[in-house]
Amino acid sequence: MSPVDVLRQSFGFREFHAYQRSVIDRCERGEHSLVIAPTGSGKSICFQVPALMPHWQGDLVLVLSPLIALMQDQVESLQRLGIDASFINSTLAKQERERRHHELAGGRHRLLYVTPERFRKPAFLAALSQRQVRLLAVDEAHCVSQWGHDFRPDYTRLADIRRQIGNPTTLALTATATPECQRDIVGQLGLHPDEVQVFYQGIQRPNLSLEVEEVWGEGDKRDAIERVLGKEGFDGGATIIYFSLIKTVETFSTWLDESRVPHVCYHGDLPRERRQRVQQRFMDGGCPLVLATNAFGMGIDKGDIRRVIHAETPGSVEAYYQEVGRAGRDGRPSLCLWLYDQADLMTQLQFIQWRNPDAGYYARLYHHLTTRADECRALGWDWLNGQLQRLSRHDHRLATAIAILDRHGVVAGPRPPKCFEVLTPLPESLLDDQQLEQKKRRDQLRLHAMVQLAREPGDRKAFIDRYFSHIP
């Protein structure tokens, strides 16, 4: 049976997209690949088809995915097609996790979806050790990179994870990775650039209209949103309006309430159950307008999103491209409007400060964790944040710094109380202001690219292609 036979019999598609067969052939030969292709272009087929090849029977394709809701949706879709796929994550009750561990160890499942954090669990590792992992698929691979725009500490342990499971053939997939991010993904996977072929597919979304409208203040933004919500040609579907700040979401929500415009709001400060209800209501069509921060993102696979409006400037071309990529997945015309207010750049510059603590901050944090450990454990996160930053309780450097310490294995975990348990000394890299300043400068350059995109007089899709197209 050939890959095309599997594609037709299991998925109902007649032919592969241009890049899919080449990637699958490399997987068959045991060769590594990095795929950079638009959301909705069929990247998952590149690891799902190999998993179903007859001569892969008994072997496992292990898929690392960052979002629990997304992996559950993908597994349910595969199971409806009669494909033996499963997931193991924190949503499962203990008894169900143990059952799936037993199935895994016993040879069931051709595809298994997990988050990288699952490799912290001894029971999972014990079950996985009974299987031969033939292919490791790393979804949303930009999370691997220290320059990626969706930082996940456990994604930076992929080289160790690969070694744990026998250094299998590896396929990394993402919609967004600059040349620098591509190099970092390859390095973080423990691979050499010569071992990895990069497949870059470009934006390839002719149905998306990328528009930028310069505005001045909140009043202009309200007028533009009101006009776009009533614009003909993009009606009959859903709309996402993105904001950078929770307080701005709330401000515009109040305005829409006063205007009697039905909508829902989604941001990271909402309880998890509330976020799930909001997302489900939007996905089901119960409320087709959502105001959101970038917390509303991965897993939003809804075909009829007709408008994506950025009411505040995103921090990078990567973030912008991920978010506009949620529009028009059904192929119909869709509008992506960015309301460009230069004042919003100050918000993003503040975010860059928070994402880039200097060496002095790391030294102060480590001092408190080691010499005032009892107080940290007793008084908690807010007390520690107040000790480190007395000028503003809204300073978010602590969250960044703890995530970095967790990534380096300095602390026992990313959240209290484990984040207060020190395991090793600070690495020299976190005491090197020159190296830390380099990372900060790169973030500033990414924001500058957004300014260039706003001012681009020509084809903005061509600008985005130039931004992502170079191969490392």
Side-chain angles (χ1 to χ4, degrees), residues 42 71 119 138 140 154 210 236-237 295 311 328 333 420 447 453:
M71 72 170 66
F119 281 82
V138 183
E140 303 295 344
D154 283 85
L210 305 186
F420 301 135
L447 180 59
L453 177 61

Side-chain angles (χ1 to χ4, degrees), residues 312-382:
E312 292 181 292
T313 293
S316 67
V317 177
E318 293 93 326
Y320 171 77
Y321 181 47
Q322 284 273 0
E323 288 158 4
V324 299
R326 289 163 194 139
R329 295 187 184 179
D330 57 5
R332 290 182 53 201
S334 300
L335 174 65
C336 303
L337 176 64
W338 170 17
L339 302 177
Y340 176 57
D341 187 340
Q342 292 187 39
D344 293 339
L345 299 176
M346 296 305 298
T347 298
Q348 292 299 335
L349 287 170
Q350 183 67 71
F351 288 167
I352 289 172
Q353 290 293 118
W354 291 344
R355 290 197 301 266
N356 291 278
D358 59 20
Y361 187 91
Y362 281 113
R364 293 195 303 276
L365 171 58
Y366 190 78
H367 172 79
H368 278 77
L369 291 175
T370 52
T371 67
R372 307 184 70 175
D374 290 342
E375 290 170 282
C376 289
R377 285 190 288 267
L379 300 175
W381 185 280
D382 290 340

Side-chain angles (χ1 to χ4, degrees), residues 84-341:
D84 186 12
S86 188
F87 64 84
I88 299 175
N89 61 40
S90 59
T91 67
L92 301 175
K94 181 181 178 181
Q95 185 175 0
E96 178 62 18
R97 282 201 307 274
E98 291 175 347
R99 186 181 71 82
R100 296 194 188 193
H101 288 158
H102 179 73
E103 291 179 344
L104 171 63
R108 274 207 61 189
H109 310 312
R110 306 188 75 164
L111 285 142
L112 179 69
Y113 289 70
V114 298
T115 65
E117 289 82 0
R118 189 58 26 191
F119 281 82
R120 295 175 182 259
K121 308 298 182 182
F124 169 73
L125 293 174
L128 186 63
S129 69
Q130 304 302 307
R131 296 293 296 277
Q132 174 69 40
V133 178
R134 186 153 181 174
L135 176 65
L136 175 66
V138 183
D139 205 7
E140 303 295 344
H142 57 271
C143 299
V144 174
S145 173
Q146 62 176 313
W147 311 116
H149 58 93
D150 193 344
F151 183 75
R152 288 282 289 267
D154 283 85
Y155 261 85
T156 63
R157 299 192 175 101
L158 262 292
D160 289 335
I161 289 173
R162 286 188 70 249
R163 282 192 290 271
Q164 283 180 284
I165 58 178
N167 292 314
T169 303
T170 300
L171 171 60
L173 312 104
T174 182
T176 56
T178 62
E180 185 170 39
C181 186
Q182 294 172 39
R183 287 190 292 271
D184 202 42
I185 289 169
V186 171
Q188 295 278 6
L189 288 169
L191 298 170
H192 189 275
D194 292 342
E195 299 178 272
V196 181
Q197 182 170 341
V198 177
F199 294 83
Y200 175 74
Q201 297 305 300
I203 189 166
Q204 294 186 342
R205 299 291 299 280
N207 62 311
L208 298 188
S209 176
L210 305 186
E211 299 183 10
V212 178
E213 180 177 335
E214 188 161 11
V215 296
W216 303 90
E218 190 176 297
D220 280 1
K221 291 181 180 181
R222 290 181 177 181
D223 290 344
I225 290 170
E226 190 171 22
R227 182 179 69 254
V228 170
L229 290 180
K231 191 171 184 178
E232 294 184 0
F234 301 103
D235 51 354
T239 300
I240 304 173
I241 306 179
Y242 277 112
F243 299 85
S244 301
L245 298 169
I246 293 173
K247 68 177 182 181
T248 322
V249 172
E250 294 170 342
T251 297
F252 276 75
S253 176
T254 299
W255 164 61
L256 289 175
D257 282 338
E258 293 170 349
S259 303
R260 301 182 185 279
V261 177
H263 66 281
V264 290
C265 297
Y266 187 106
H267 55 73
D269 277 2
L270 295 175
R272 180 179 177 181
E273 295 77 12
R274 173 85 177 274
R275 294 198 306 271
Q276 290 174 337
R277 288 198 302 271
V278 167
Q279 180 168 325
Q280 195 59 51
R281 189 177 174 199
F282 176 78
M283 295 295 287
D284 292 344
C287 187
L289 172 61
V290 61
L291 278 57
T293 63
N294 62 4
F296 189 74
M298 292 182 193
I300 306 303
D301 188 7
K302 183 175 172 63
D304 66 342
I305 296 176
R306 297 274 73 84
R307 311 174 191 85
V308 171
I309 303 170
H310 282 91
E312 292 181 292
T313 293
S316 67
V317 177
E318 293 93 326
Y320 171 77
Y321 181 47
Q322 284 273 0
E323 288 158 4
V324 299
R326 289 163 194 139
R329 295 187 184 179
D330 57 5
R332 290 182 53 201
S334 300
L335 174 65
C336 303
L337 176 64
W338 170 17
L339 302 177
Y340 176 57
D341 187 340

